Amino acid sequence: MKVLAKMSQFVNKTFALWVVIFGIAGFVFPEIFKQIGPWIAPLLGVVMFGMGLTLSPSDFREIFRRPRDVFLGILAQFTIMPGGAFLLCYALDLPPDVAVGLMLLGCCPGGTASNVVTFLARGDVALSVTITSCTTLLAPVMTPALMYLFASQWLAIDPTAMFMSIVQIILLPIAAGVFVHKLLGARIDTAVAALPLVSVLAIVLIAAAVTAASRQQLMNTGLLVFVAVVLHNALGMLFGFLVAKWSGMNLAKCKCMAFEVGMQNSGLGVALASVHFAANPMTALPAAIAALWHNVAGPMLATVFQNWRDDDEKASFFDRMEAACKTPAKAAAAE
């Protein structure tokens, strides 16, 4: 199990690389990976079950400790990303199926990868986990409602059917995971260490299946979709950070908000597109590209953020350094 846990950590750290490898494999060998298409929703269900296994009451404690911060994060998630996607659809004059795919990505909740990247950036991890959990649980209502509001002009949207799909893909697996964790307690903790391996495998298979299904469309309009996804992600991270800063949050919270708003649950976007817009495979392409790009751009920004400190953080750092330097001097004097 320890070997499996180490493998899991390695695969999790190199997640973006595996998405690229499997994406290329799906492009080169489409007939093989097209067969995974019908399994996209169950694969995402596996990921959500894993999320349920790791949830605990402490993940929601911040709602009561810092309700304003959590509410602002949820509000920013479900306004900046759908609004940004809608503006980009018109600014880039996207084809209808691509526009629906970008809107679907924008209306999805935050992705769990944002929690890891927030940790790498020295951001507020507790707030990040709480916002991700809340937006995920709100997704059955918010995602169909926002899609109906913004995307009905391009393709027919059935919010009721989408609600049921999200309940089946997200809420039921998460509830099952929470129940199993409650039932087995500490006995399941060892297996939880291997969850990143399972989650990464599921997501890269989803990315490969979507690439295989939309191979021809990708060759025709892939660059345009990539530009749209990159701009959408950049707008989300920028305005997530700025909204937090304008509302008076400290730097750690601002970092958290940048990733919470900018990084979506792209796997859910792919699954919903595959289920509800199967006749238009291009609708799944923005979310499939986002599965790669978000996990490249996020760590890159986290590397930049690591060196950003509030004044009080800088002061405490220098205080610790000064204390560390004085300690040997005092020891020498005592001798």
Side-chain angles (χ1 to χ4, degrees):
M1 186 58 72
K2 289 182 178 179
V3 174
L4 190 61
K6 288 182 179 179
M7 288 178 56
S8 184
Q9 291 174 4
F10 170 75
V11 170
N12 196 35
K13 290 178 181 178
T14 55
F15 174 67
L17 175 63
W18 295 110
V19 174
V20 172
I21 291 173
F22 275 78
I24 294 173
F27 188 85
V28 176
F29 307 106
E31 296 306 319
I32 296 176
F33 289 96
K34 277 182 180 178
Q35 300 177 43
I36 302 174
W39 297 94
I40 288 177
L43 283 171
L44 185 61
V46 170
V47 177
M48 293 297 104
F49 176 77
M51 180 180 178
L53 285 176
T54 63
L55 284 179
S56 67
S58 62
D59 294 327
F60 299 93
R61 196 172 295 154
E62 300 304 309
I63 297 176
F64 305 102
R65 288 182 175 176
R66 297 181 287 178
R68 174 180 173 274
D69 295 342
V70 175
F71 175 76
L72 187 61
I74 296 171
L75 182 64
Q77 172 70 61
F78 287 125
T79 54
I80 292 173
M81 296 310 277
F86 188 73
L87 292 175
L88 285 172
C89 289
Y90 279 98
L92 299 176
D93 193 22
L94 297 179
D97 47 358
V98 177
V100 170
L102 188 65
M103 282 305 316
L104 186 55
L105 176 65
C107 295
C108 283
T112 54
S114 62
N115 309 150
V116 179
V117 178
T118 299
F119 172 76
L120 295 175
R122 303 177 190 272
D124 192 326
V125 179
L127 181 61
S128 175
V129 171
T130 300
I131 294 174
T132 298
S133 302
C134 289
T135 57
T136 299
L137 295 178
L138 288 171
V141 174
M142 296 303 301
T143 298
L146 290 169
M147 280 296 292
Y148 185 77
L149 176 65
F150 285 105
S152 296
Q153 58 189 297
W154 291 297
L155 289 177
I157 307 295
D158 187 343
T160 303
M162 194 171 288
F163 168 83
M164 293 305 300
S165 293
I166 299 175
V167 168
Q168 294 169 9
I169 295 171
I170 287 189
L171 287 193
L172 292 182
I174 288 178
V178 171
F179 175 76
V180 170
H181 195 187
K182 185 72 173 177
L183 183 67
L184 299 180
R187 287 175 290 178
I188 200 69
D189 290 343
T190 305
V192 168
L195 284 177
L197 180 62
V198 177
S199 298
V200 168
L201 179 60
I203 292 173
V204 297
L205 287 176
I206 290 172
V210 173
T211 303
S214 55
R215 183 175 183 270
Q216 188 59 47
Q217 296 91 334
L218 184 59
M219 289 189 293
N220 295 334
T221 59
L223 180 60
L224 177 63
V225 180
F226 180 77
V227 169
V229 169
V230 170
L231 290 175
H232 184 238
N233 175 235
L235 287 172
M237 291 195 291
L238 173 63
F239 281 98
F241 186 92
L242 291 177
V243 165
K245 189 170 183 61
W246 292 335
S247 66
M249 292 186 183
N250 63 29
L251 183 57
K253 295 178 183 179
C254 291
K255 293 175 182 179
C256 160
M257 287 284 286
F259 298 120
E260 278 306 307
V261 176
M263 298 179 69
Q264 306 295 94
N265 188 336
S266 51
L268 176 61
V270 170
L272 292 177
S274 302
V275 171
H276 294 278
F277 309 110
N280 305 86
M282 281 292 288
T283 56
L285 199 54
I289 292 176
L292 165 62
W293 178 250
H294 287 187
N295 289 281
V296 172
M300 287 172 58
L301 183 59
T303 302
V304 175
F305 277 166
Q306 283 178 350
N307 298 317
W308 290 21
R309 299 282 197 281
D310 275 330
D311 290 338
D312 57 341
E313 290 181 287
K314 292 177 182 177
S316 62
F317 171 77
F318 287 118
D319 290 341
R320 289 195 301 269
M321 289 296 293
E322 184 179 1
C325 292
K326 287 181 177 178
T327 300
K330 289 180 180 178
E335 292 176 359

